[in-house]
Amino acid sequence: MAYSQLAVGVTLTLLFPGGVFATEAEIEAARAQWMELFSAGDGMAVAEQSFSEDALLLPPDSAPVEGREAIAAFWQDIFDVGVTGLELDTISIDVIGDTGIVTGYWTVTVPFDGGGTTEVGGKELLIYKKEADGVWRATRDIWNDGR
């Protein structure tokens, strides 16, 4: 029994020298950076640092948003109407090589036209890729409203 556990450990170390948990922590760090960038309200910074060049957003009740420039414009429109306070809660992260699949919840604060705000949120599914520069960026992002 101990030999088989050792063999599994050695195999995992050879396949994932950085460790699966280290990789999950890297993806969580990318998500934390995404929340910081959202708070700064800069669509181009969000697109450049959090999304791959050929990323695809699949927002609810909207057409797909493809490519970094379109993603920058999409998020800038969201910031310009006053949406703030992105909070991401991770349910799970599954890592396969240079691909990470994240399931989670999101919440933002949305302003009312007449003043005041409300929180809205929902579920999300993202696919991250570790790019040549070593940064994990989202390549696919789909979300819906409601928990």
Side-chain angles (χ1 to χ4, degrees):
M1 184 73 154
Y3 177 75
S4 64
Q5 290 172 336
L6 178 62
V8 168
V10 169
T11 302
L12 288 174
T13 300
L14 292 173
L15 290 174
F16 306 104
V20 173
F21 297 113
T23 304
E24 289 176 4
E26 291 171 1
I27 293 172
E28 282 290 2
R31 290 170 60 74
Q33 180 185 36
W34 168 214
M35 287 186 281
E36 289 175 20
L37 292 166
F38 192 98
S39 293
D42 182 343
M44 185 54 74
V46 164
E48 289 176 348
Q49 296 180 43
S50 296
F51 292 90
S52 65
E53 186 66 40
D54 62 346
L56 178 66
L57 300 183
L58 299 166
D61 302 320
S62 298
V65 180
E66 189 169 0
R68 196 174 271 162
E69 285 187 31
I71 290 169
F74 174 87
W75 288 117
Q76 194 61 56
D77 288 346
I78 298 294
F79 301 145
D80 289 348
V81 297
V83 176
T84 61
L86 176 66
E87 292 291 330
L88 301 174
D89 295 314
T90 303
I91 296 170
S92 67
I93 299 176
D94 298 306
V95 179
I96 305 164
D98 67 349
T99 302
I101 302 166
V102 177
T103 306
Y105 296 112
W106 62 273
T107 306
V108 293
T109 302
V110 178
F112 290 123
D113 285 338
T117 61
T118 188
E119 283 194 355
V120 298
K123 297 171 285 293
E124 64 175 350
L125 180 67
L126 291 97
I127 300 174
Y128 282 85
K129 286 282 195 180
K130 189 168 191 176
E131 296 193 328
D133 62 0
V135 175
W136 287 91
R137 291 187 177 89
T139 62
R140 300 294 182 266
D141 186 355
I142 185 170
W143 65 95
N144 62 20
D145 299 328
R147 288 199 179 203

